[in-house]
Amino acid sequence: MRLLLPRKFSTKTLDGWAKSVQKSGKNVFVKVDNGRSHGLIQLVANKQIAQEVKVGNAIRAIGNFEKSPGSQQETEFVADQLNIIGRDENPRYEDLSADNLRKKTHLRARNSQFASFLRARSALFRETHEFFMSRDFIHIDTPKLTRNDCEGGGEVFDVVTTSAEALNGSDGIKEDAMYLSVSSQLHLEAMVSRLQRVYTLGPAFRAEKQQSHAHLSEFYMLEAEVAFVDNIDEMCSLVESYVQNMFSFLHSPKLRSELEIMNSQHLASIPLNSPFSRITYEDAVQVLTSKGSKVSAKSGLSKKNELDLVKFHDNQPVFVTHYPKNQKPFYMARTQDDTKTLSFDLLVPGVGELAGGSVREPYAEKLKERGCGIEWYLETRKRGQPPTAGFGVGFERLLQLKMVKIKNRYYVVRMITNDGSQPTPFRPAIFKEFMKLASEMFGDFGYSILKMSLSVRVVDEDVIVLRVAEGGNKYFGAVLPCVHKIDKQPMVLQTIFIGRSMRSCEKRLIKTRRDELHSALKKCTTTETRTQLLGAIQQMCGQPARIFTDEQRGDKTNS
Amino acid sequence: MRLLLPRKFSTKTLDGWAKSVQKSGKNVFVKVDNGRSHGLIQLVANKQIAQEVKVGNAIRAIGNFEKSPGSQQETEFVADQLNIIGRDENPRYEDLSADNLRKKTHLRARNSQFASFLRARSALFRETHEFFMSRDFIHIDTPKLTRNDCEGGGEVFDVVTTSAEALNGSDGIKEDAMYLSVSSQLHLEAMVSRLQRVYTLGPAFRAEKQQSHAHLSEFYMLEAEVAFVDNIDEMCSLVESYVQNMFSFLHSPKLRSELEIMNSQHLASIPLNSPFSRITYEDAVQVLTSKGSKVSAKSGLSKKNELDLVKFHDNQPVFVTHYPKNQKPFYMARTQDDTKTLSFDLLVPGVGELAGGSVREPYAEKLKERGCGIEWYLETRKRGQPPTAGFGVGFERLLQLKMVKIKNRYYVVRMITNDGSQPTPFRPAIFKEFMKLASEMFGDFGYSILKMSLSVRVVDEDVIVLRVAEGGNKYFGAVLPCVHKIDKQPMVLQTIFIGRSMRSCEKRLIKTRRDELHSALKKCTTTETRTQLLGAIQQMCGQPARIFTDEQRGDKTNS
């Protein structure tokens, strides 16, 4: 009997699910998903023991990992025993759309992209706790059932019980109104006065009407509170450090490979070693207005304003500080002239507000003036409370920032020069030409949209792969047929293929190249050319990913 | 400006709260609680800069740690600057009773015992995640707002929103009934079918009438689920390993000191290297019945039965397995004869049920037969679900096991023999005599209660220290004056002192001994006896803890 106690998975037993089954000679080759990473494990078994295995089966195999003779993997699991212990009526989870999986929550983990997401989320959860614990923060689980409405927005869930036992009892469950917590902040403020540095990562609940994918009824919030801090700068630095650490972690080899299979767009290359920009709300409004992005004096920055502001900062995160007092809640400390709050929001590409924080109002009288009637909260201020400051980060937004799946289109196009010569343009020249045409045809508006959504991914001989994010398709489709030269070289562009992923483009491109080589092979007359062509075909089929290697390494030599 | 980024607290700045202030010559000595551990830091400052400091003040001092000339601490913080940045109207938190602090949740962290508890809880939280993550488990945050009532007990909280915006909207918040999650198990079962090993540590909600301190409306539950497991033994081993690891962690130097200040009773010395006992429910009932502990055939083991069972196992944890099917929920797999479940509970001293788990029913038809109507849950069984098993641990109960504060009384009594000879009894004989009298005076009932609550802690010459847990006091008080012999030696017992902690007894005992020695010193006539007595006094005052050292080491030689 296998015991769970060993630290790691056993090498003698392979548990998992058959993703593909291929019979060849006396052997059966099964690609096994064991759920530990996005990679599949090749299992080899004699037909006699693996005759019955079908795609979707949950299997347990006994055997050993051995060096693989195949070129696709380094090791393979050679099974001596194989048992089928679960069958799947319909195992094609990869074909399900995200919308379908959203309705079938219970089947999500069976889809490899969702499984990757869940593994990445768990790793980020661990790293978050490591970040704070290693900085001497104490983790506090604050109550989720509460009588306070922290944000004062009224968007709380009431909690009632219909359990007859509880209703008849005098245990107080029904005595007063009870809500689901919208924020842990007030509780953390009470705890910080001794423990000095506290934080929590837990669920928060808001009964908001769903405004966008950035608003959830139930979400996870990271909240931290630090005593003996009376300024925003320290807090901004802490948030900055946290976000940079998490990004750097997501770029670590293990996590990067999980993210790659999710086909996620790396929205931003966030500076990991230099501080994020910090500007005041006043300056932010000025910048936005001067660039034509209107700001409502009443409701403050809209989501569009926030995204614009990020764009005007080279698509990098930016802290906006000192919001006007009428836009922020009662608990925030204010500037001496009592017009602005000691507050900040961190705005990031694609998401908008990722974090928000402030110095807390230290005086009970001022809190009262602003209508705060929470007696226990007021009392803390008279009981040796030092200045404190804190912040909150939407944990899902942090994930979204790195893992959001944007519907992209990948265009594979061929450059056909007017004089039949070899096309020579590098990536920047191609991008520049598209931008020039977009500006001529659609003015500033179309120009900005295409600039945000277009990226030239690969240039390989006479073929270009372009990625266009949702929203930019309309403009791209109009510009493409109008291209008649790139980098002064007269040419037109012929669309070969439009796909949904880089991988599909790659496959298509390999097929195209192979067909070309084969048709060249037919026409060729000398033995030498023939040998060269055969070598090229072999190389291409044996190492299908070669042509993308430079791109994947982020090589900039040809750009 | 101090930045938060450094990993550890700065050695140049000391932030904290003044717990005591003492002026001496030109200096002021302040004991500072900085919230990082239960120990206080001695701060020394010139009167000129520290004149105003009062107990309860939040202070920030700039200076350096230096070697302390005093004997009470190795280092002290010598302050060059000292600022008072918060004042406390009423800083005597140590005098507040636990009941008072329970009502003043927001002031809890200011009490050093509660602060210790919060630090220990946070450390155990981290260690729990480390345990599972290092064993390749994936952490999943399951939804807290749910439409399922997992346990089927009906004790769920309904969630409604009174937010007009949400009610008018068509976003579905009000469309169907919505509950607060009572358990994450069903969700984890869905996730385990690919991820293989999943767990969660998060809040669960039960609208139960409060039965005892073991039942909370909101509590934290650790739940784990493992695929490809079809037997209880593997799960028991995992639970055992987890509990042993956490205990061993709580005994690590840092945590032990936090627990000591909490004055917590170490309820059990749990075996850390050998497995816990495992018995079937059938055998458990037999053992209980044979020892006179009645078991209800209908409702199963009562809390008293559970505690009895632990007692019959040398006060050590015990697994009870294979509960009858009518006592357990629909999702548990059953034995082949369909009478028992493949389930287990872990019972521990003082708490009763700490963990519960089972193998899950693999067949959708059987789940349906037992009334399960959760469609999505049934569907998982047809979609390549391997056998799975899991368990849940009440996180508060784990803390309670180690950290519960039981109201004990410590009695220091002197043995006075009838003939003035030296008393000779060892601990077991003393305990036996009390039990014999209790049985004669109060029958089985009083006997059991006193047996559970009485423990002979120290025998030192003619003095005994006895600990009596709450509940046993009445019987102990009645038995004490009736003792007229122990181990056949005629004697009476004189009460010297009744205290609340071992420490207070120790202090009192030292005082008593010193007084004895001093009065002996007055009477003594020879120089040799005098020198011996002076030596004894010096030894006692210099090493006040000596007499308890054997006891603290758990030395059994005199028992």
Side-chain angles (χ1 to χ4, degrees):
Chain A
M1 184 183 303
R2 182 181 62 124
L3 285 181
L4 270 164
L5 303 182
R7 195 184 131 91
K8 291 288 175 190
F9 276 83
S10 157
T11 53
K12 298 276 182 187
T13 309
L14 178 63
D15 292 336
W17 291 262
K19 281 276 195 180
S20 75
V21 179
Q22 209 182 332
K23 288 169 191 174
S24 165
K26 284 184 186 170
N27 287 328
V28 179
F29 295 88
V30 185
K31 295 276 186 195
V32 179
D33 180 0
N34 80 336
R36 311 307 313 153
S37 73
H38 67 279
L40 301 179
I41 295 161
Q42 168 139 308
L43 176 147
V44 189
N46 194 292
K47 255 190 185 170
Q48 286 180 307
I49 61 165
Q51 189 66 35
E52 300 290 314
V53 178
K54 289 199 172 57
V55 171
N57 286 171
I59 56 170
R60 163 167 290 190
I62 313 290
N64 274 297
F65 277 101
E66 291 178 13
K67 199 170 178 317
S68 173
S71 62
Q72 285 182 298
Q73 61 279 319
E74 284 190 11
T75 59
E76 59 188 19
F77 191 87
V78 181
D80 306 321
Q81 275 183 50
L82 200 155
N83 291 309
I84 299 168
I85 49 179
R87 286 165 209 280
D88 199 330
E89 288 178 349
N90 187 6
R92 306 275 166 201
Y93 300 100
E94 309 310 323
D95 301 342
L96 288 175
S97 71
D99 278 344
N100 253 319
L101 281 167
R102 204 162 283 129
K103 287 171 203 154
K104 296 261 184 189
T105 328
H106 56 293
L107 301 178
R108 269 190 209 177
R110 289 154 159 92
N111 172 281
S112 52
Q113 289 194 358
F114 265 101
S116 272
F117 174 80
L118 290 166
R119 283 189 296 265
R121 189 187 193 280
S122 174
L124 202 64
F125 174 94
R126 182 188 201 176
E127 199 67 11
T128 294
H129 286 296
E130 208 42 54
F131 179 89
F132 285 97
M133 295 253 184
S134 70
R135 279 162 183 79
D136 290 330
F137 279 75
I138 305 288
H139 184 268
I140 305 274
D141 280 314
T142 59
K144 302 305 159 213
L145 296 173
T146 176
R147 304 203 194 282
N148 306 126
D149 170 11
C150 169
E151 297 283 330
E155 282 118 4
V156 293
F157 284 109
D158 292 341
V159 178
V160 296
T161 173
T162 47
S163 158
E165 196 186 13
L167 284 171
N168 295 335
S170 56
D171 52 73
I173 284 184
K174 198 52 196 160
E175 269 172 23
D176 290 299
M178 193 160 59
Y179 309 113
L180 284 179
S181 173
V182 297
S183 161
S184 302
Q185 184 203 315
L186 302 191
H187 290 104
L188 289 182
E189 278 189 54
M191 292 298 121
V192 85
S193 194
R194 273 310 179 274
L195 300 178
Q196 279 219 44
R197 297 178 179 186
V198 296
Y199 80 108
T200 195
L201 174 54
F205 306 89
R206 304 241 169 123
E208 286 177 297
K209 191 174 166 179
Q210 206 178 347
Q211 297 171 326
S212 71
H213 60 276
H215 291 82
L216 298 166
S217 292
E218 176 181 347
F219 60 100
Y220 276 73
M221 190 140 68
L222 169 72
E223 288 177 279
E225 197 74 25
V226 187
F228 297 97
V229 174
D230 58 4
N231 63 85
I232 312 175
D233 276 333
E234 273 186 57
M235 276 297 115
C236 287
S237 299
L238 183 63
V239 172
E240 190 175 86
S241 171
Y242 171 67
V243 173
Q244 287 176 338
N245 267 273
M246 293 309 111
F247 259 70
S248 139
F249 175 68
L250 287 169
H251 276 283
S252 63
K254 193 194 159 193
L255 266 286
R256 202 171 48 204
S257 61
E258 295 284 6
L259 296 180
E260 269 165 15
I261 203 183
M262 290 169 63
N263 200 4
S264 70
Q265 184 181 4
H266 290 210
L267 275 169
S269 60
I270 281 190
L272 294 180
N273 295 311
S274 57
F276 301 159
S277 300
R278 298 177 192 187
I279 59 167
T280 65
Y281 180 84
E282 249 174 30
D283 289 347
V285 171
Q286 212 162 16
V287 168
L288 285 167
T289 315
S290 74
K291 303 227 178 185
S293 185
K294 276 185 192 166
V295 181
S296 148
K298 205 178 157 195
S299 56
L301 302 184
S302 66
K303 172 113 178 180
K304 187 180 173 305
N305 289 150
E306 293 178 347
L307 293 175
D308 281 346
L309 210 52
V310 169
K311 210 166 43 175
F312 301 151
H313 282 83
D314 295 332
N315 243 4
Q316 306 246 308
V318 53
F319 283 106
V320 178
T321 65
H322 299 90
Y323 281 78
K325 66 177 182 184
N326 63 338
Q327 288 181 25
K328 292 288 180 184
F330 68 90
Y331 53 71
M332 293 192 176
R334 297 190 180 166
T335 50
Q336 283 201 312
D337 62 2
D338 196 39
T339 58
K340 300 178 204 82
T341 52
L342 297 180
S343 63
F344 65 89
D345 279 3
L346 174 62
L347 311 178
V348 296
V351 173
E353 183 194 335
L354 173 65
S358 76
V359 176
R360 315 310 185 185
E361 177 58 56
Y363 298 108
E365 300 71 38
K366 292 197 180 171
L367 289 168
K368 261 188 193 165
E369 276 170 28
R370 294 174 206 156
C372 170
I374 307 170
E375 281 304 325
W376 67 260
Y377 185 67
L378 295 170
E379 191 185 356
T380 59
R381 298 302 192 257
K382 297 172 183 175
R383 305 297 291 266
Q385 188 96 349
T388 82
F391 68 88
V393 172
F395 197 59
E396 276 79 10
R397 289 193 188 178
L398 184 69
L399 292 163
Q400 186 191 3
L401 177 56
K402 203 60 207 175
M403 301 183 194
V404 67
K405 200 180 163 191
I406 289 194
K407 284 171 194 156
N408 289 319
R409 289 285 175 279
Y410 290 84
Y411 289 78
V412 181
V413 299
R414 190 195 300 272
M415 295 180 272
I416 301 174
T417 51
N418 293 8
D419 54 6
S421 63
Q422 183 71 17
T424 56
F426 288 165
R427 287 197 284 173
I430 298 167
F431 188 76
K432 203 170 148 193
E433 184 65 22
F434 272 93
M435 286 302 110
K436 190 175 139 254
L437 286 169
S439 177
E440 285 170 13
M441 291 165 72
F442 306 106
D444 280 353
F445 187 67
Y447 174 84
S448 323
I449 289 183
L450 197 58
K451 189 172 179 186
M452 270 189 68
S453 54
L454 178 67
S455 117
V456 181
R457 305 295 287 172
V458 179
V459 182
D460 183 57
E461 302 277 344
D462 61 342
V463 167
I464 315 171
V465 182
L466 300 125
R467 189 184 66 203
V468 187
E470 200 177 37
N473 268 306
K474 195 169 63 176
Y475 301 96
F476 180 78
V479 169
L480 186 64
C482 301
V483 174
H484 54 89
K485 67 173 170 60
I486 295 180
D487 208 9
K488 292 179 191 156
Q489 192 178 24
M491 65 172 74
V492 292
L493 301 178
Q494 178 202 5
T495 305
I496 303 176
F497 176 70
I498 303 173
R500 287 195 180 203
S501 68
M502 205 60 182
R503 202 183 162 78
S504 62
C505 294
E506 191 185 356
K507 277 187 187 167
R508 180 53 181 256
L509 204 47
I510 290 163
K511 189 176 176 306
T512 310
R513 288 276 190 253
R514 206 170 42 206
D515 292 348
E516 280 171 13
L517 289 170
H518 278 128
S519 75
L521 197 63
K522 276 185 199 160
K523 288 178 205 158
C524 85
T525 44
T526 69
T527 323
E528 197 187 317
T529 329
R530 234 186 137 75
T531 316
Q532 276 179 357
L533 280 171
L534 279 168
I537 293 173
Q538 201 165 21
Q539 191 182 27
M540 185 151 283
C541 302
Q543 302 181 327
R546 193 199 59 82
I547 54 164
F548 278 25
T549 311
D550 285 355
E551 167 64 19
Q552 283 165 342
R553 276 205 215 105
D555 188 336
K556 303 261 161 111
T557 49
N558 66 341
S559 64
Chain B
M1 183 184 304
R2 182 181 59 123
L3 284 182
L4 271 165
L5 302 183
R7 193 185 130 91
K8 292 288 172 190
F9 276 84
S10 157
T11 52
K12 299 275 183 187
T13 308
L14 178 63
D15 292 336
W17 291 262
K19 280 277 194 179
S20 75
V21 179
Q22 208 182 337
K23 287 170 190 174
S24 165
K26 284 183 188 169
N27 287 327
V28 178
F29 295 89
V30 185
K31 294 276 186 195
V32 179
D33 179 0
N34 79 337
R36 309 310 309 152
S37 72
H38 68 278
L40 302 178
I41 295 161
Q42 168 139 306
L43 176 147
V44 188
N46 194 290
K47 255 188 185 170
Q48 286 179 307
I49 62 165
Q51 189 66 37
E52 301 290 314
V53 177
K54 288 199 174 55
V55 171
N57 286 172
I59 56 169
R60 162 166 291 190
I62 313 290
N64 274 298
F65 277 100
E66 290 178 15
K67 201 173 175 317
S68 173
S71 61
Q72 287 183 295
Q73 60 279 319
E74 285 189 12
T75 60
E76 58 188 21
F77 191 87
V78 181
D80 306 322
Q81 275 182 50
L82 199 155
N83 292 309
I84 299 169
I85 49 177
R87 286 164 209 280
D88 198 329
E89 288 178 350
N90 186 7
R92 307 275 168 201
Y93 299 101
E94 308 312 321
D95 302 340
L96 288 176
S97 70
D99 277 345
N100 252 318
L101 281 166
R102 204 162 283 128
K103 287 171 202 153
K104 296 260 183 187
T105 328
H106 56 292
L107 301 178
R108 268 189 209 176
R110 288 154 160 92
N111 172 280
S112 52
Q113 289 194 359
F114 266 100
S116 273
F117 174 79
L118 290 165
R119 284 189 295 266
R121 188 186 195 281
S122 173
L124 201 65
F125 174 93
R126 183 188 199 174
E127 200 65 13
T128 294
H129 285 296
E130 208 42 53
F131 179 88
F132 285 97
M133 294 252 184
S134 69
R135 279 162 183 78
D136 291 329
F137 278 76
I138 304 289
H139 184 269
I140 304 274
D141 281 313
T142 58
K144 301 306 160 213
L145 296 174
T146 175
R147 304 203 194 282
N148 307 127
D149 171 11
C150 168
E151 297 284 331
E155 283 119 4
V156 292
F157 284 108
D158 292 341
V159 178
V160 297
T161 174
T162 48
S163 158
E165 197 187 12
L167 284 172
N168 295 334
S170 55
D171 52 73
I173 285 183
K174 199 50 195 158
E175 268 172 24
D176 289 299
M178 192 160 60
Y179 309 113
L180 284 179
S181 173
V182 296
S183 162
S184 302
Q185 184 203 315
L186 303 191
H187 289 104
L188 289 182
E189 277 188 55
M191 291 298 122
V192 86
S193 195
R194 273 313 178 271
L195 301 177
Q196 279 220 43
R197 299 179 179 187
V198 296
Y199 79 108
T200 194
L201 174 55
F205 306 89
R206 304 239 170 126
E208 285 177 297
K209 191 174 167 180
Q210 205 177 345
Q211 297 171 326
S212 72
H213 60 275
H215 291 82
L216 297 166
S217 292
E218 176 181 347
F219 60 100
Y220 276 72
M221 191 138 69
L222 168 72
E223 288 175 280
E225 196 75 24
V226 187
F228 296 97
V229 174
D230 58 4
N231 64 85
I232 312 175
D233 276 334
E234 273 188 57
M235 277 296 116
C236 287
S237 299
L238 182 63
V239 172
E240 190 175 86
S241 171
Y242 171 66
V243 173
Q244 287 176 338
N245 266 274
M246 293 309 111
F247 260 71
S248 139
F249 175 68
L250 287 168
H251 277 282
S252 64
K254 193 192 159 195
L255 266 284
R256 202 171 47 203
S257 61
E258 296 283 6
L259 296 180
E260 269 165 14
I261 202 183
M262 289 169 64
N263 201 4
S264 70
Q265 184 183 2
H266 290 212
L267 277 168
S269 61
I270 281 190
L272 294 179
N273 295 312
S274 57
F276 302 158
S277 300
R278 298 178 192 187
I279 59 167
T280 64
Y281 180 83
E282 250 174 29
D283 289 346
V285 171
Q286 211 162 15
V287 168
L288 285 167
T289 314
S290 74
K291 303 225 178 187
S293 185
K294 276 185 191 165
V295 181
S296 148
K298 203 178 158 196
S299 55
L301 302 184
S302 67
K303 171 113 178 179
K304 187 180 173 305
N305 290 150
E306 293 177 347
L307 293 176
D308 281 347
L309 210 52
V310 170
K311 211 166 41 174
F312 302 150
H313 282 84
D314 295 332
N315 242 6
Q316 306 246 308
V318 54
F319 282 105
V320 178
T321 64
H322 299 92
Y323 281 77
K325 65 178 183 183
N326 63 339
Q327 288 181 25
K328 292 287 180 184
F330 67 91
Y331 52 72
M332 294 191 176
R334 297 191 180 163
T335 50
Q336 283 200 314
D337 62 2
D338 197 38
T339 58
K340 301 178 203 84
T341 53
L342 297 180
S343 63
F344 65 89
D345 279 3
L346 174 63
L347 310 178
V348 296
V351 172
E353 183 194 337
L354 173 65
S358 75
V359 175
R360 316 309 186 186
E361 178 57 57
Y363 298 108
E365 299 71 37
K366 293 197 179 171
L367 290 168
K368 261 188 193 164
E369 276 170 28
R370 295 174 206 156
C372 172
I374 307 171
E375 281 304 325
W376 68 260
Y377 185 66
L378 295 170
E379 190 184 358
T380 59
R381 298 301 193 257
K382 297 173 182 173
R383 305 297 291 266
Q385 188 97 349
T388 83
F391 68 88
V393 172
F395 197 59
E396 277 78 10
R397 290 193 186 176
L398 183 70
L399 293 162
Q400 187 192 3
L401 178 57
K402 203 61 208 175
M403 301 183 193
V404 67
K405 200 182 163 188
I406 289 193
K407 284 172 194 156
N408 289 319
R409 289 286 175 281
Y410 290 84
Y411 289 78
V412 182
V413 301
R414 190 194 300 274
M415 295 179 272
I416 302 175
T417 51
N418 293 7
D419 54 7
S421 64
Q422 183 70 17
T424 55
F426 289 166
R427 289 197 281 174
I430 299 167
F431 188 76
K432 204 171 148 192
E433 184 63 23
F434 272 93
M435 286 302 110
K436 188 173 140 256
L437 286 169
S439 176
E440 284 169 12
M441 291 164 74
F442 306 106
D444 281 353
F445 186 65
Y447 174 85
S448 322
I449 289 184
L450 197 58
K451 189 169 179 190
M452 269 190 70
S453 55
L454 177 67
S455 118
V456 182
R457 302 297 288 173
V458 179
V459 181
D460 183 57
E461 302 276 343
D462 61 343
V463 168
I464 315 171
V465 182
L466 300 124
R467 189 184 67 201
V468 187
E470 200 177 36
N473 268 305
K474 196 169 64 177
Y475 301 95
F476 180 77
V479 169
L480 186 64
C482 301
V483 174
H484 54 89
K485 67 172 171 57
I486 296 178
D487 208 7
K488 292 177 191 159
Q489 192 177 24
M491 64 173 74
V492 293
L493 300 178
Q494 179 202 6
T495 305
I496 305 176
F497 177 70
I498 304 173
R500 290 198 177 201
S501 67
M502 205 61 184
R503 202 182 162 80
S504 62
C505 296
E506 190 184 358
K507 276 186 186 168
R508 179 53 179 256
L509 205 46
I510 290 164
K511 191 177 174 305
T512 310
R513 288 279 190 249
R514 205 169 43 205
D515 292 348
E516 280 170 13
L517 290 169
H518 278 128
S519 74
L521 196 62
K522 276 183 198 161
K523 289 177 203 156
C524 86
T525 45
T526 69
T527 323
E528 198 187 315
T529 330
R530 233 185 138 76
T531 317
Q532 276 179 357
L533 281 170
L534 280 169
I537 293 173
Q538 203 166 20
Q539 192 183 25
M540 186 150 283
C541 303
Q543 300 180 329
R546 193 198 59 82
I547 54 165
F548 279 24
T549 311
D550 286 354
E551 166 63 18
Q552 284 165 341
R553 276 204 217 106
D555 188 335
K556 303 259 160 115
T557 49
N558 66 342
S559 64

